[in-house]
Amino acid sequence: MNAEANPTHPRPPGWQMIQDSPSPGAARLLLHGAWNLQGIGRHMQQLRSELGRLAGQNRLDWDLRAVDALDTAGALLLWRAWGARLPSRTELSSEQRAIFERLEALPALPPPASQPLNWRLPLEAVGRTAMRIGRQGVDALALLGYFLLDLLHVLRRPGLMPWRETSATLYKSGPQALGIIGLVGFSIGVVVSYQSALTLAAYGANIYIVNLLGLSILRELGPLMAAVILAGRSGSAFTAQLGVMRVTQEIDALETFGVSPTLRLILPKVVALALALPLLVLWADAIAILGGMIIAKYQLGIGYPVFLARLPQVVPQVNFWIGIGKGVLFGAIIALVASFYGLKTKPNTESLSRETTNSVVMSVTLVILIDALIAFLLSDVGL
């Protein structure tokens, strides 16, 4: 592996076979160039294969005295090619010999033992997961118990309720979310109406667009859409806020002064979201039905007075109250889940980001599961 020397860079590693070896019948392999990390880096695979082939020749004398630079990386490459021992006929400088003596003094690592298949490992993994879920369930029940006790305490003594924190949370979670919820609600109403209009028009059932839109939006899509948006918008903010307070030990300070974190931090959030989300559901229902009415007007020719007059006739009022009740329930669940993961945060930024993500995922998952359960339990109500 010969190369021309470069005036600005050291010579790459190489060698030259010379037939003037002092040993009878042997050849001398003269190594030259830079046998250091910089020199061998780009030629590692080629050097390893060619050195392995050369090391297999018995009648060969190795001469490293012409090497420009040798470090531990280059010496280790040669050492492995030689089989972790110096060849019997090797010419080295004193500095090079010291490097190889250090390699020779290193203890030989035994080959990794093959691990037999352990059938217990999957069971242990399942057990650890079950124990972790169980611990989280116990912690969640403890938080719920503290919350209910503080709620009963506040109901007996309303003056203890932190009304200022509740009103601030209500404003941040309610009026400030009207824009995004209105935009998404209008889009959903337009999409549902447009997709349904094509099928209904094919069967001459144009007027049933009112039934479809009213039932789907008031009972299912409105509450679900508002809850998902609020979980991502306000739930993540609650988790991050409590997580930062946990990191900065503000929650520990409240407990030191005898102030209940549940009463001061969690109860206002639950009350605010339980009040804000039903109002947001009402807003989402109105905007979504407005979008559906516009599409029904231009796709199916159903006028606005006809649509509004038929809506309360074909959609029982109980569907509206089911949607509002879902809003109250979903708001309380989102606030409790966000608070639970916020209090779980450990004093580091990685835990804060992880728990915020877990909060949003768990909130959305619970909202969807509970919505499906309510739909199953109330399947005969309001239809």
Side-chain angles (χ1 to χ4, degrees):
M1 184 175 173
N2 298 314
E4 295 293 333
N6 192 309
T8 59
H9 298 283
R11 293 186 300 168
W15 53 79
Q16 182 180 2
M17 192 75 71
I18 303 176
Q19 301 298 328
D20 62 347
S21 173
S23 302
R28 183 162 66 99
L29 189 66
L30 180 64
L31 273 66
H32 56 75
W35 287 78
N36 53 15
L37 184 60
Q38 181 181 4
I40 68 176
R42 292 178 296 176
H43 314 286
M44 182 69 71
Q45 296 297 332
Q46 182 181 359
L47 289 172
R48 184 179 291 114
S49 60
E50 294 187 7
L51 287 174
R53 176 181 56 82
L54 293 172
Q57 302 180 20
N58 294 327
R59 307 297 294 173
L60 193 63
D61 295 342
W62 295 77
D63 191 347
L64 278 67
R65 291 172 296 179
V67 170
D68 298 334
L70 179 70
D71 63 2
T72 305
L76 187 61
L77 180 65
L78 293 168
W79 183 256
R80 289 175 175 172
W82 291 338
R85 60 181 180 83
L86 281 175
S88 56
R89 299 182 302 275
T90 306
E91 298 292 337
L92 301 169
S93 66
S94 58
E95 293 83 0
Q96 294 169 349
R97 188 172 296 277
I99 295 176
F100 285 106
E101 287 176 353
R102 288 197 296 270
L103 292 178
E104 190 174 10
L106 293 176
L109 296 176
S114 58
Q115 296 291 336
L117 181 63
N118 189 353
W119 58 269
R120 298 178 182 177
L121 293 179
L123 296 179
E124 292 176 358
V126 173
R128 284 192 296 268
T129 303
M131 291 180 64
R132 184 173 64 251
I133 294 175
R135 285 193 296 267
Q136 288 193 3
V138 171
D139 294 340
L141 287 176
L143 177 63
L144 182 60
Y146 287 130
F147 168 76
L148 293 176
L149 290 175
D150 285 335
L151 180 60
L152 292 175
H153 186 57
V154 167
L155 290 177
R156 289 197 303 265
R157 301 178 62 183
L160 296 177
M161 180 69 185
W163 296 109
R164 180 170 296 181
E165 288 82 356
T166 305
S167 61
T169 305
L170 181 61
Y171 171 72
K172 294 176 183 177
S173 304
Q176 291 189 351
L178 290 176
I180 182 64
I181 289 182
L183 176 62
V184 175
F186 186 82
S187 302
I188 287 180
V190 168
V191 170
V192 172
S193 181
Y194 182 78
Q195 296 294 336
S196 304
L198 300 177
T199 303
L200 294 175
Y203 292 95
N206 297 5
I207 196 62
Y208 288 103
I209 190 69
V210 182
N211 307 52
L212 181 62
L213 277 176
L215 186 62
S216 61
I217 291 176
L218 293 178
R219 183 165 178 148
E220 297 296 337
L221 294 180
L224 191 61
M225 173 198 63
V228 170
I229 293 177
L230 205 66
R233 185 182 181 277
S234 299
S236 59
F238 291 168
T239 304
Q241 178 189 8
L242 293 175
V244 171
M245 294 181 70
R246 175 67 77 185
V247 171
T248 57
Q249 300 182 345
E250 294 180 52
I251 296 178
D252 297 333
L254 288 176
E255 293 175 345
T256 302
F257 285 107
V259 178
S260 171
T262 310
L263 174 63
R264 194 70 183 178
L265 302 176
I266 299 177
L267 184 60
K269 293 177 172 53
V270 176
V271 173
L273 258 65
L275 293 175
L277 192 51
L279 300 177
L280 292 175
V281 170
L282 183 61
W283 168 253
D285 291 345
I287 297 299
I289 290 177
L290 174 63
M293 285 173 54
I294 295 175
I295 298 301
K297 167 71 173 178
Y298 290 98
Q299 286 287 325
L300 302 176
I302 300 176
Y304 301 142
V306 175
F307 192 104
L308 293 175
R310 183 173 173 78
L311 182 61
Q313 298 175 3
V314 298
V315 180
Q317 191 178 9
V318 66
N319 293 286
F320 169 77
W321 292 112
I322 289 176
I324 296 299
K326 285 182 180 181
V328 176
L329 179 60
F330 292 164
I333 290 174
I334 291 170
L336 285 172
V337 171
S339 301
F340 172 71
Y341 283 100
L343 295 177
K344 275 185 60 181
T345 304
K346 294 180 174 57
N348 58 75
T349 55
E350 181 182 357
S351 176
L352 179 61
S353 61
R354 183 178 62 251
E355 300 303 340
T356 303
T357 303
N358 292 339
S359 168
V360 176
V361 172
M362 183 58 68
S363 298
V364 174
T365 303
L366 284 178
V367 164
I368 294 175
L369 292 178
I370 293 174
D371 183 72
L373 180 62
I374 294 175
F376 174 76
L377 295 177
L378 302 180
S379 57
D380 296 331
V381 178
L383 299 178

